[in-house]
Amino acid sequence: MKKIDLACVIDDDPIFVFSAKKIMELADFCNGFLVFHNGKEALNHLKAIISAEDELPDVILLDLNMPVMDGWEFLEEFIKIKSEKVITIYIVSSSIDPSDINKAKSYDNVSNYIVKPVTIDSLKNVLQNHQN
Amino acid sequence: MHPKNTQTSPVKDSNSYLNDELYLAITKDKAYFDFIQKYALDGFFIIDGQEDENVFCSPKLLESLGYDNTKSAKNKKIWKDIIYSEDLNQFEKVLASKAINTSQEENLIFRFVHSHKYILWLECAIISFKNISLKNRILIAVKNVTKFKKSDLHLQEQVKRYEHVLDGTGIGTWEWNIQTGETIFSKQWAKILGYGLEELQPTSVDTWNKFANPEDAEYCQKILNEHFEGKTEVYKTEARMRHKKGHWVWVADRGKVVSWTEDGRPEWMTGYHEEITRQKKEIERSQKFIEEAPTAIAMFDTKMRYIVTSKKWKEDYHVEDIDIINKYHYDIFPDVKDEWKAIHLLGLKGESLLSEDDEFIDRFGKKRYVKWSMQPWYTNEQEIGGIIIHTTDITQLKKLKQISESRKQFLETILESLKVGIVSCNAKGELELFNSTTREWHGLPVTAMDPDKLSDYYGLYHEDGKTHLTKDEIPLLQVLENGYISNSTIRIKPKYGEDRLVSVSGSQIKDNNGKIIGAVVAMHDITSYKQSQEKLRLSEETFRGNFENAAIGMAICDLNAKPLKVNKSLCSILKYSQNELLKKPIFELVNQKDFNRIHRLIKELVHKKEDHFHVELQLISKKNEKIYVLIFASLITDSNGEPLLITMQIKNISIRKLAQQQLNKALAHQKALLAASTKVSFIATDKEGLITDFNLGAENLLGHKAENIKRKNVLLFHDPKEIAQRIESLNQEFRRELTNFEALVFEAKKRKSTTREWSYLDINKNRIPILLTITPILQDEQLIGYLHAALEITELKEARNEILSLLEVTKDQNQRLRNFANIVSHNLRSHSCNFSSLLDLLKIECSELNENQIIQLLRTASENLKETIEHLNEVVVINTLIKENLSRLNLHDFIEKAVESTSALAMEAQVNIEFNIDKNINILGIPAYLESILLNFITNGIKYRSLERNSFIKLYAENDLVNGETILNIEDNGLGIDLKRNRHKLFGMYNTFHKHKDSRGIGLFITKNQIEAIGGKIEVESEVNKGTLFKIYFKNEEN
């Protein structure tokens, strides 16, 4: 199974980030990852990466409920950025509100909606989809 | 003994002698002249009384005796020569007495001898007279009676001969002097009785009496008296007389009175006896024969007395109790008609007669009919002895005949008077009867002929009038042969007279045994019918077109109002097909309440009391709708004015009627409202706003009395400021100048009903907020006024405000609930997830801690927290879900799936799951919810099964079409629930009713919420240790 080069986690919950990193390692998910604590921070960094023509992440795990710029606002801005690289976005949220799930489906860039907690199995699924 | 022939002339000078002798006597006494005149037809002679020699013979006398009358007229004793010698003595004696006696004349017959020596009988009248010298002379006038005397002699000879003959025939004669009793019987008379005549001497009238049967003698006496009285020409009787040998012999006795005394009493009677014993015996035999005859026979004598009758006669004429023998027929039957008496007389004269049919009145006055024959019977002497009458009572027969006769008459009369041609034939096809109509048509009477010639003779043609009917085509012969007619329309073209088209029907004539004895046909003249039919055809076609396509419903009905023809419009009005309508009299179509009316109208029409009617009523359509129609019906009569058909035009006026009815209903409703409502104010005004009605509600609201406020303007109750505002806003909108009232009724005037809030000012000028509805009042599409309906809304307004604030609070609370839900969903869950993630990681990284009990408990707590949050979340999600996006779900498929997915569980728990769901049932729901609901109930059923018995779960559904629901029943025989204690908590959150390790208490709560979220509801029936039945109501139609 081929690992993902770079994964990006956008979440304001340090416990989640901690456990996510741990699980990614355990699942042998990626070679490296970027962590941003809100949408704004993520957006700025990613824009900088694009303009610097640095390495962009292959997968973004995006939380919805965040301060400063939440997941939805990030999505709105992010889809405006033109990038040659296809970045797969997974929404990872504790919300099981169907309206959130349905809304996520309305974005072409969003591959799936993962309900927290993230487990090794769910990451392995992501990995599998990514290779296909 | 011949007288001497003298040649001397008796008289020389007769004239002078007669002068001398007679003159004086004649001139002196005229009697002498008369005497001569009377008797001296053949001459006379005068004798001198003293001198026999002196005799004068008249020349006539001489001539009569064959002498020359010119010779001596005076001859001496001449009579001695001319009188027959045997009579001479007698003659002289007479002369001598005359010579002495007076002129008394005397007539005697003497025999004289003719000169030719034969005897002449001369009647001599002798008288004496005195001559001129007064000497006595005797005048003898002579009349030649030889002729009479000879015939007398002849008769006497005959009598003698008859007596001999009588002796030979055995007839015994008798003579009887009734006055003296002297009797003379012949030998034969005695012989009949076995006697010699001398044995009976001396005979008298008693001789007869001695031998006669006393009984018969009495009868004979009666007959005899009748004869004496001149009632009968001949005495004629029969009597028994005693024979010498002691037996009776029958004797026929005939006799007649031959001389009468001067005083008119019968003197001599002669007659004869004839023995008739043998004949009598024969008659007796005949009588016996007649008596025993089985038919009615009577034998009468010539007097119509009964001799003998048969018993049947007595029976027939009701005379069994009467001894009628020897009685007169006319005494027994006094009413015998004269006609019969005449017939009897004819019979007695020798005629034989009979009658096949005669009538008479019997003894009891009843009319009877007889067939009779009558003939005379003859006695031995070939005389008519009477008559024999033979009768047969045919009264009964006659009655029968009369009945059939009258029936025949009746039928004949009918046949003759019918305007239908009737022809009949016998079994051989020979014509038997033409009635008058047929004769008239053919111009010919019925004539026997060969059937082959019938067609030509009677001018029988096919309908075309060109081809003759063949023998086989003649209807009468067809009927006779086959019993049916193939060409029922034929043409009769008589040689003289008009052509006729006739319609023929016929039948065979059968006798009582069903044998065909002939045939009969009836012919109807349809010439004019055909012609008029042709004429009618065109107009009828036109009519039919109109009829069929008429926009109005039309029906042609018979006199029972049963349609014979209906058009399309009528069908569409009533929604029936044409065929269905043709089976329904109009009475079956009318609404029951109109039945009597239409029935009466039709009856009047049919009885020609009216020739048309129109009526508005309700018909019932096939779809059971009541349809208002206007029926115009008229009667069609035939050419005789007899009712024939009824035509009906039926117009659907339902819409008009319905509208009218609705209006009436609305009006009634409004009236009722207006009158009864005490809470709502109704004020009706005219177009100008003047009050026409003011109800109790208005009185209550405004404090005015209706009677005081009528005809005042409704603006009286309005706040001028409000009206002014309204005018202003309308003005801005429509840019029109309006009066106050126009502003108030602005929309209503445009015939729109409007409702707005206004204020009324009551009698005390208190402001009352109202909700005012102004409605135009229309009559026949014309605006005639307005209805102002006002509801006081003071309280309503307050209530509304309260509700609005409540709504705000609720909204607020709802929002908070939503927030709470979000908190639960996101924040609480995030923390919980972190806990479980961290614990998972700890488990991996610090595996030595796995046995630590605190860590284990932390894990359990984390799991419980996670689960609780999930449940809470589910509840929140359901509650916040809007009832939309419901889709149609096939109940059967979902249940099948649910049962399948629980099958492993069920098998393990040994629960039998059955379901019986109609595959066509669809319900409204959300797939995930339905799955969840079904799984929840099934797993519950398995979980709470009873271990004491074989468990089952049954699922079955029923549709409640009325409410648009499907009821799913889920029944188990598990542990059950004590509903008395737990019903109110059953579907609450975190309630469990079983001490079961899997009980969580959240299932039913969520399930109930899910059911309600998709518009359903749930009911439960349960009994502890028996089982539970859940009834789940799903909506299966969108509301």
Side-chain angles (χ1 to χ4, degrees):
Chain A
M1 201 182 281
K2 195 190 165 210
K3 267 202 235 175
I4 290 167
D5 282 340
L6 189 62
C8 174
V9 178
I10 306 171
D11 200 316
D12 65 327
D13 183 356
I15 299 172
F16 172 76
V17 174
F18 168 78
S19 52
K21 277 186 195 167
K22 280 280 175 194
I23 291 164
M24 280 182 186
E25 282 168 15
L26 290 169
D28 203 9
F29 184 71
C30 55
N31 296 324
F33 48 80
L34 300 169
V35 175
F36 305 106
H37 292 96
N38 62 56
K40 186 78 182 169
E41 187 186 324
L43 196 64
N44 291 341
H45 275 90
L46 290 173
K47 277 183 179 171
I49 290 168
I50 290 165
S51 52
E53 292 180 355
D54 216 337
E55 192 191 1
L56 278 170
D58 301 289
V59 173
I60 295 173
L61 303 179
L62 175 66
D63 186 21
L64 290 176
N65 218 359
M66 289 178 290
V68 186
M69 180 185 271
D70 68 11
W72 301 120
E73 287 166 337
F74 169 79
L75 267 177
E76 288 297 322
E77 292 300 319
F78 184 74
I79 57 175
K80 290 175 188 169
I81 299 167
K82 288 182 180 165
S83 167
E84 287 174 9
K85 189 175 179 182
V86 176
I87 300 169
T88 310
I89 299 172
Y90 286 88
I91 288 173
V92 181
S93 171
S94 58
S95 170
I96 49 169
D97 191 330
S99 62
D100 285 341
I101 297 167
N102 285 337
K103 191 174 178 182
K105 283 179 185 168
S106 68
Y107 291 92
D108 289 342
N109 311 55
V110 178
S111 290
N112 213 337
Y113 189 105
I114 298 168
V115 178
K116 286 179 183 174
V118 173
T119 61
I120 295 169
D121 288 345
S122 58
L123 285 181
K124 280 184 174 168
N125 280 339
V126 172
L127 203 55
Q128 209 163 355
N129 288 340
H130 182 70
Q131 282 161 355
N132 294 335
Chain B
M1 293 207 298
H2 297 287
K4 282 171 219 160
N5 186 15
T6 57
Q7 294 295 320
T8 54
S9 170
V11 182
K12 196 78 180 167
D13 184 8
S14 59
N15 284 344
S16 62
Y17 178 76
L18 276 178
N19 270 346
D20 295 345
E21 294 296 320
L22 268 177
Y23 184 72
L24 183 68
I26 291 168
T27 50
K28 273 182 85 180
D29 191 345
K30 192 175 173 278
Y32 292 105
F33 178 77
D34 289 341
F35 176 84
I36 293 166
Q37 177 88 356
K38 190 174 175 186
Y39 297 110
L41 294 177
D42 293 305
F44 62 89
F45 54 97
I46 300 167
I47 297 165
D48 186 340
Q50 274 79 46
E51 291 179 62
D52 289 349
E53 308 298 312
N54 188 14
V55 171
F56 172 80
C57 267
S58 73
K60 177 80 178 159
L61 179 62
L62 290 173
E63 193 185 332
S64 299
L65 292 170
Y67 295 100
D68 183 3
N69 57 0
T70 59
K71 287 183 182 169
S72 65
K74 204 174 169 198
N75 228 330
K76 208 180 173 179
K77 282 211 174 196
I78 189 167
W79 64 86
K80 287 175 184 169
D81 293 330
I82 59 170
I83 294 177
Y84 188 56
S85 55
E86 282 184 30
D87 290 350
L88 197 57
N89 254 346
Q90 176 72 20
F91 185 71
E92 285 176 339
K93 265 189 202 168
V94 172
L95 279 184
S97 70
K98 281 296 163 197
I100 301 154
N101 274 348
T102 56
S103 60
Q104 188 69 46
E105 58 180 78
E106 196 166 351
N107 292 4
L108 293 166
I109 293 166
F110 295 102
R111 281 172 287 192
F112 288 71
V113 179
H114 192 272
S115 61
H116 293 132
K117 302 298 178 208
Y118 62 84
I119 290 170
L120 293 172
W121 278 267
L122 301 178
E123 189 185 51
C124 302
I126 303 162
I127 196 166
S128 61
F129 69 96
K130 290 192 187 309
N131 71 348
I132 201 154
S133 27
L134 296 176
K135 285 182 179 167
N136 278 333
R137 294 291 187 262
I138 295 166
L139 176 66
I140 302 167
V142 174
K143 193 160 82 185
N144 188 350
V145 293
T146 309
K147 227 190 290 177
F148 305 109
K149 200 67 191 174
K150 272 191 177 160
S151 66
D152 186 34
L153 279 176
H154 181 69
L155 273 173
Q156 281 182 15
E157 273 172 33
Q158 273 186 327
V159 167
K160 277 277 178 236
R161 200 160 59 242
Y162 283 147
E163 279 172 357
H164 289 298
V165 172
L166 284 173
D167 280 347
T169 55
I171 283 173
T173 59
W174 52 264
E175 290 169 73
W176 174 33
N177 188 318
I178 295 133
Q179 300 308 320
T180 61
E182 182 189 348
T183 54
I184 304 156
F185 295 120
S186 71
K187 281 186 206 162
Q188 193 59 34
W189 194 96
K191 197 178 168 189
I192 288 170
L193 301 177
Y195 294 94
L197 184 57
E198 59 286 353
E199 286 178 86
L200 300 177
Q201 292 300 352
T203 62
S204 73
V205 73
D206 293 327
T207 312
W208 184 85
N209 281 333
K210 189 174 136 193
F211 292 103
N213 178 305
E215 206 177 294
D216 294 346
E218 198 183 320
Y219 172 67
C220 289
Q221 189 60 51
K222 193 178 148 211
I223 302 296
L224 189 63
N225 288 339
E226 283 171 13
H227 183 64
F228 289 161
E229 287 161 24
K231 284 181 186 166
T232 55
E233 198 68 27
V234 181
Y235 162 76
K236 200 171 180 182
T237 181
E238 286 168 0
R240 282 164 290 182
M241 301 198 75
R242 180 74 72 189
H243 193 270
K244 189 179 176 182
K245 290 179 180 168
H247 62 267
W248 291 107
V249 291
W250 273 99
V251 173
D253 199 353
R254 304 283 183 277
K256 189 177 162 70
V257 174
V258 291
S259 66
W260 303 83
T261 59
E262 282 169 9
D263 53 356
R265 286 178 294 152
E267 190 179 26
W268 277 100
M269 185 174 175
T270 61
Y272 65 89
H273 270 185
E274 181 188 14
E275 190 187 345
I276 54 163
T277 310
R278 194 168 53 83
Q279 292 90 320
K280 265 290 176 195
K281 286 248 167 74
E282 273 171 17
I283 287 174
E284 265 173 20
R285 265 208 303 283
S286 314
Q287 280 179 344
K288 267 273 177 285
F289 176 76
I290 287 171
E291 274 174 12
E292 298 304 322
T295 52
I297 299 176
M299 188 172 178
F300 298 93
D301 66 14
T302 51
K303 295 275 179 273
M304 288 305 291
R305 279 176 301 218
Y306 279 97
I307 293 172
V308 64
T309 66
S310 69
K311 284 173 185 157
K312 182 82 168 109
W313 178 283
K314 290 182 134 186
E315 272 173 37
D316 276 5
Y317 298 103
H318 307 302
V319 288
E320 296 101 315
D321 49 341
I322 305 174
D323 179 19
I324 56 173
I325 301 303
N326 277 327
K327 303 254 170 63
Y328 286 99
H329 181 56
Y330 307 139
D331 288 344
I332 306 285
F333 300 103
D335 295 329
V336 170
K337 46 186 183 175
D338 292 342
E339 187 190 336
W340 277 9
K341 289 182 182 168
I343 287 164
H344 297 156
L345 279 179
L346 288 173
L348 291 171
K349 284 179 183 166
E351 283 191 50
S352 293
L353 295 169
L354 58 85
S355 167
E356 287 296 327
D357 182 3
D358 208 343
E359 59 176 64
F360 77 102
I361 308 296
D362 74 6
R363 286 183 71 206
F364 302 123
K366 275 172 79 177
K367 195 170 200 175
R368 304 267 296 274
Y369 294 89
V370 287
K371 170 183 173 179
W372 56 259
S373 66
M374 176 203 74
Q375 65 258 2
W377 60 271
Y378 291 87
T379 62
N380 260 29
E381 308 94 71
Q382 294 308 303
E383 273 181 56
I384 290 167
I387 53 173
I388 293 174
I389 297 176
H390 190 167
T391 67
T392 310
D393 189 334
I394 55 164
T395 310
Q396 279 308 107
L397 199 71
K398 183 79 181 173
K399 270 185 192 161
L400 291 175
K401 266 191 176 170
Q402 253 176 356
I403 290 165
S404 33
E405 183 72 19
S406 64
R407 181 147 181 79
K408 193 180 145 211
Q409 285 273 331
F410 171 70
L411 290 175
E412 274 178 7
T413 312
I414 286 178
L415 277 182
E416 286 302 305
S417 56
L418 275 180
K419 268 295 154 207
V420 174
I422 307 278
V423 181
S424 79
C425 68
N426 63 14
K428 291 178 199 161
E430 294 163 352
L431 292 182
E432 275 188 332
L433 176 137
F434 268 30
N435 72 344
S436 61
T437 304
T438 313
R439 286 194 297 272
E440 187 189 310
W441 288 355
H442 287 299
L444 290 167
V446 64
T447 310
M449 68 174 67
D450 185 353
D452 284 326
K453 293 177 183 161
L454 281 174
S455 180
D456 185 46
Y457 186 74
Y458 287 112
L460 306 179
Y461 288 85
H462 279 283
E463 196 176 348
D464 59 12
K466 286 170 190 160
T467 22
H468 264 298
L469 297 181
T470 66
K471 179 191 166 192
D472 295 335
E473 286 169 345
I474 294 172
L476 182 64
L477 301 179
Q478 274 189 342
V479 169
L480 180 67
E481 197 65 33
N482 311 319
Y484 68 87
I485 296 170
S486 66
N487 48 334
S488 59
T489 306
I490 64 165
R491 192 176 285 279
I492 297 174
K493 291 174 79 177
K495 295 202 169 65
Y496 313 99
E498 5 173 335
D499 284 19
R500 245 167 249 278
L501 200 61
V502 298
S503 163
V504 192
S505 58
S507 61
Q508 291 170 334
I509 306 171
K510 292 178 178 174
D511 67 9
N512 289 341
N513 301 323
K515 191 184 156 204
I516 297 165
I517 56 169
V520 61
V521 292
M523 303 182 288
H524 299 259
D525 186 349
I526 55 167
T527 317
S528 57
Y529 167 72
K530 274 272 170 178
Q531 284 165 356
S532 53
Q533 204 177 33
E534 192 60 31
K535 278 184 207 160
L536 267 177
R537 201 170 55 80
L538 278 177
S539 60
E540 196 183 295
E541 266 168 21
T542 320
F543 168 73
R544 192 178 297 136
N546 287 337
F547 180 84
E548 271 307 320
N549 303 313
I552 200 169
M554 290 177 86
I556 298 176
C557 304
D558 65 13
L559 298 179
N560 295 320
K562 192 178 165 205
L564 302 169
K565 217 164 183 180
V566 294
N567 73 347
K568 289 170 194 159
S569 293
L570 187 59
C571 293
S572 71
I573 290 171
L574 294 174
K575 312 282 191 297
Y576 282 105
S577 73
Q578 289 201 342
N579 283 341
E580 284 169 332
L581 274 184
L582 291 181
K583 289 173 195 152
K584 286 191 178 290
I586 202 82
F587 307 123
E588 283 182 27
L589 292 167
V590 296
N591 192 1
Q592 202 54 38
K593 73 184 171 65
D594 291 324
F595 180 87
N596 287 338
R597 201 145 55 104
I598 187 82
H599 197 266
R600 178 175 52 78
L601 287 169
I602 298 266
K603 201 170 153 190
E604 282 175 2
L605 203 62
V606 171
H607 288 91
K608 289 165 73 179
K609 285 181 187 155
E610 299 288 344
D611 60 356
H612 72 275
F613 66 78
H614 36 150
V615 62
E616 265 184 38
L617 43 69
Q618 280 185 340
L619 296 182
I620 305 294
S621 79
K622 190 177 182 183
K623 294 184 175 169
N624 226 22
E625 306 155 317
K626 288 174 184 162
I627 298 171
Y628 283 96
V629 293
L630 177 67
I631 297 181
F632 178 85
S634 56
L635 182 70
I636 295 181
T637 56
D638 65 11
S639 53
N640 298 325
E642 288 300 310
L644 196 65
L645 295 168
I646 300 169
T647 62
M648 292 190 193
Q649 299 182 23
I650 299 167
K651 189 179 177 185
N652 188 348
I653 52 166
S654 280
I655 293 164
R656 197 181 93 191
K657 205 65 189 176
L658 222 63
Q660 193 185 341
Q661 225 178 24
Q662 273 171 352
L663 184 69
N664 286 342
K665 202 165 148 187
L667 275 176
H669 201 68
Q670 282 177 356
K671 277 267 180 209
L673 273 178
L674 211 60
S677 177
T678 53
K679 296 280 178 203
V680 182
S681 152
F682 286 107
I683 302 169
T685 67
D686 64 11
K687 282 196 287 185
E688 313 304 326
L690 298 181
I691 295 166
T692 54
D693 275 303
F694 196 78
N695 84 332
L696 193 59
E699 286 184 348
N700 290 342
L701 184 67
L702 297 168
H704 291 284
K705 284 282 158 198
E707 58 267 27
N708 301 330
I709 213 75
K710 285 268 173 80
R711 305 304 301 164
K712 292 193 175 162
N713 199 295
V714 75
L715 287 170
L716 177 68
F717 310 126
H718 280 271
D719 180 354
K721 282 179 197 162
E722 277 184 5
I723 299 285
Q725 278 172 13
R726 181 70 182 146
I727 289 174
E728 197 172 329
S729 80
L730 287 169
N731 199 7
Q732 277 179 5
E733 203 177 337
F734 297 101
R735 309 241 162 252
R736 279 177 58 187
E737 293 295 326
L738 295 164
T739 65
N740 287 353
F741 188 69
E742 278 172 346
L744 182 62
V745 298
F746 187 76
E747 290 92 348
K749 200 177 179 184
K750 292 176 179 170
R751 304 191 181 185
K752 279 185 213 155
S753 173
T754 60
T755 303
R756 7 175 26 98
E757 283 182 25
W758 292 89
S759 294
Y760 270 170
L761 299 174
D762 71 7
I763 196 162
N764 298 319
K765 299 294 171 191
N766 290 325
R767 177 179 298 275
I768 305 163
I770 52 160
L771 194 63
L772 177 64
T773 303
I774 301 179
T775 312
I777 303 173
L778 299 176
Q779 189 173 51
D780 293 334
E781 307 291 317
Q782 294 296 313
L783 182 75
I784 57 159
Y786 303 95
L787 182 71
H788 306 249
L791 182 66
E792 186 186 356
I793 53 169
T794 315
E795 286 171 13
L796 202 72
K797 265 195 148 171
E798 284 165 8
R800 192 169 67 181
N801 287 338
E802 202 171 310
I803 289 165
L804 281 174
S805 65
L806 263 177
L807 207 64
E808 282 302 311
V809 172
T810 314
K811 260 186 187 170
D812 193 39
Q813 282 180 339
N814 266 1
Q815 193 52 50
R816 270 183 253 162
L817 198 64
R818 264 194 103 76
N819 292 343
F820 174 72
N822 284 333
I823 292 161
V824 169
S825 178
H826 285 97
N827 304 3
L828 214 53
R829 210 169 168 279
S830 305
H831 303 313
S832 159
C833 285
N834 284 344
F835 265 119
S836 68
S837 291
L838 289 171
L839 284 168
D840 281 347
L841 288 172
L842 187 67
K843 188 181 168 189
I844 296 162
E845 292 201 346
C846 309
S847 54
E848 69 277 5
L849 288 176
N850 284 356
E851 302 303 317
N852 185 304
Q853 202 176 0
I854 296 171
I855 296 297
Q856 281 176 0
L857 288 173
L858 266 175
R859 289 177 88 86
T860 310
S862 168
E863 284 301 312
N864 285 349
L865 179 63
K866 191 175 153 198
E867 198 184 39
T868 302
I869 291 167
E870 267 169 31
H871 288 157
L872 271 174
N873 200 54
E874 278 179 55
V875 173
V876 170
V877 167
I878 291 161
N879 282 344
T880 53
L881 188 77
I882 304 156
K883 286 177 192 166
E884 58 190 14
N885 300 327
L886 295 180
S887 50
R888 300 182 75 78
L889 306 175
N890 187 291
L891 187 59
H892 177 270
D893 292 352
F894 274 81
I895 288 176
E896 193 174 49
K897 211 160 96 187
V899 170
E900 213 172 80
S901 61
T902 54
S903 62
L905 197 61
M907 212 183 294
E908 197 190 329
Q910 294 183 326
V911 175
N912 184 30
I913 303 176
E914 295 169 15
F915 65 98
N916 180 19
I917 309 291
D918 189 331
K919 289 187 177 175
N920 295 321
I921 296 177
N922 289 313
I923 60 154
L924 290 177
I926 293 168
Y929 283 12
L930 184 57
E931 275 168 31
S932 160
I933 292 161
L934 292 171
L935 283 173
N936 211 324
F937 278 114
I938 293 169
T939 51
N940 262 0
I942 295 170
K943 218 181 279 175
Y944 302 120
R945 68 187 183 277
S946 168
L947 297 172
E948 295 164 9
R949 50 186 172 263
N950 293 330
S951 299
F952 66 76
I953 299 170
K954 290 176 181 170
L955 299 99
Y956 48 93
E958 54 206 86
N959 269 337
D960 180 350
L961 296 175
V962 176
N963 296 317
E965 290 176 332
T966 296
I967 303 155
L968 173 64
N969 297 278
I970 303 175
E971 185 185 350
D972 67 51
N973 61 346
L975 297 168
I977 302 158
D978 185 347
L979 289 177
K980 272 185 194 161
R981 279 171 56 188
N982 299 319
R983 184 184 286 278
H984 63 288
K985 300 194 286 187
L986 182 57
F987 299 103
M989 210 185 232
Y990 292 100
N991 283 310
T992 63
F993 312 99
H994 308 281
K995 294 187 172 103
H996 198 283
K997 64 179 169 70
D998 292 335
S999 294
R1000 290 181 307 155
I1002 193 78
L1004 278 177
F1005 175 74
I1006 291 168
T1007 305
K1008 180 173 187 271
N1009 278 283
Q1010 284 175 333
I1011 289 168
E1012 285 169 358
I1014 58 171
K1017 62 172 181 173
I1018 182 160
E1019 285 173 4
V1020 63
E1021 294 167 17
S1022 184
E1023 206 175 314
V1024 174
N1025 227 6
K1026 284 272 173 68
T1028 307
L1029 170 65
F1030 289 103
K1031 288 168 107 66
I1032 306 155
Y1033 292 75
F1034 294 109
K1035 289 277 173 218
N1036 56 15
E1037 269 176 28
E1038 319 225 4
N1039 290 331

